[in-house]
């Protein structure tokens, strides 16, 4: 689907995601996370919630600066990353971020999994 955000192409708002909206004097979440699935207006058409905002989500892929050399079957990239250490991809942005670009479906951040971070990161359980 050629869309910018999990809910479509409408700009992120406090009604659709848990973000720190730089256009307002205070963040939507008041600098904290919110209960899971508390923003149903931001759900995907499949019903997935919190795919943008609330906390960054770790994914399995090691970080590359492009998709060149990545598996084309949708599996995770486990080869050599571009940074030393164990840098993995983060997606979705967080409640703390003031850059709405980070909420876009195509944006990928990264951190070293051996480092400790605050409550801005998490993971999604899937089966």
């Amino acid at each position: 689907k050629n869309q910018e955000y999990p809910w479509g192409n409408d700009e992120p708002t406090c009604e659709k995601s848990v973000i720190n909206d730089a256009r307002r004097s205070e963040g939507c979440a008041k600098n904290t996370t919110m209960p899971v699935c508390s923003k149903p207006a931001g759900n995907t058409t499949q019903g997935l919630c919190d795919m943008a905002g609330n906390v960054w989500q770790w994914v399995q892929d090691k970080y590359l600066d492009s998709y060149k050399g990545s598996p084309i079957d949708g599996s995770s990239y486990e080869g050599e990353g571009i940074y030393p250490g164990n840098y993995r991809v983060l997606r979705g942005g967080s409640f703390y971020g003031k850059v709405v670009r980070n909420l876009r479906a195509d944006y990928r951040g990264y951190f070293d999994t051996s480092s400790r971070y605050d409550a801005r990161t998490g993971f999604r359980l899937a089966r």
Side-chain angles (χ1 to χ4, degrees), residues 40-58:
N43 287 2
T44 67
T45 55
Q46 298 84 8
L48 298 176
C49 59
D50 296 335
M51 297 302 291
N54 223 8
V55 296
W56 283 101
Q57 295 176 30
W58 289 108

Side-chain angles (χ1 to χ4, degrees), residues 56-60 88-90 111-113 117 121-123:
W56 283 101
Q57 295 176 30
W58 289 108
V59 298
Q60 185 68 33
R88 300 283 177 165
V89 174
L90 289 171
F111 284 119
D112 187 340
T113 59
Y117 299 101
T121 57
F123 57 94

Side-chain angles (χ1 to χ4, degrees), residues 9 18 21 23 39 50 58 67 76 85 90 99 112 118 121 126:
N9 291 322
V18 182
D21 191 339
R23 296 167 291 194
K39 303 289 184 169
D50 296 335
W58 289 108
Y67 289 106
S76 62
L90 289 171
V99 181
D112 187 340
D118 57 22
T121 57

Side-chain angles (χ1 to χ4, degrees), residues 1-112:
K1 294 183 173 188
N2 190 18
Q3 62 187 49
E4 294 182 0
Y5 303 99
W7 54 81
N9 291 322
D10 295 338
E11 287 292 312
T13 64
C14 292
E15 290 71 38
K16 292 186 171 111
S17 57
V18 182
I19 56 174
N20 187 356
D21 191 339
R23 296 167 291 194
R24 301 179 187 202
S25 60
E26 60 201 44
C28 303
K30 312 272 191 264
N31 278 335
T32 188
T33 58
M34 292 185 74
V36 173
C37 298
S38 60
K39 303 289 184 169
N43 287 2
T44 67
T45 55
Q46 298 84 8
L48 298 176
C49 59
D50 296 335
M51 297 302 291
N54 223 8
V55 296
W56 283 101
Q57 295 176 30
W58 289 108
V59 298
Q60 185 68 33
D61 298 83
K62 287 194 177 176
Y63 184 77
L64 294 172
D65 58 358
S66 75
Y67 289 106
K68 186 176 182 178
S70 295
I72 60 172
D73 64 359
S75 61
S76 62
Y77 175 74
E78 291 292 330
E80 192 64 36
I82 65 169
Y83 296 111
N86 197 17
Y87 281 80
R88 300 283 177 165
V89 174
L90 289 171
R91 288 194 176 270
S94 81
F95 70 89
Y96 187 76
K98 293 182 180 180
V99 181
V100 294
R101 163 82 177 101
N102 294 354
L103 299 175
R104 285 179 53 117
D106 64 347
Y107 185 80
R108 301 175 316 131
Y110 57 91
F111 284 119
D112 187 340

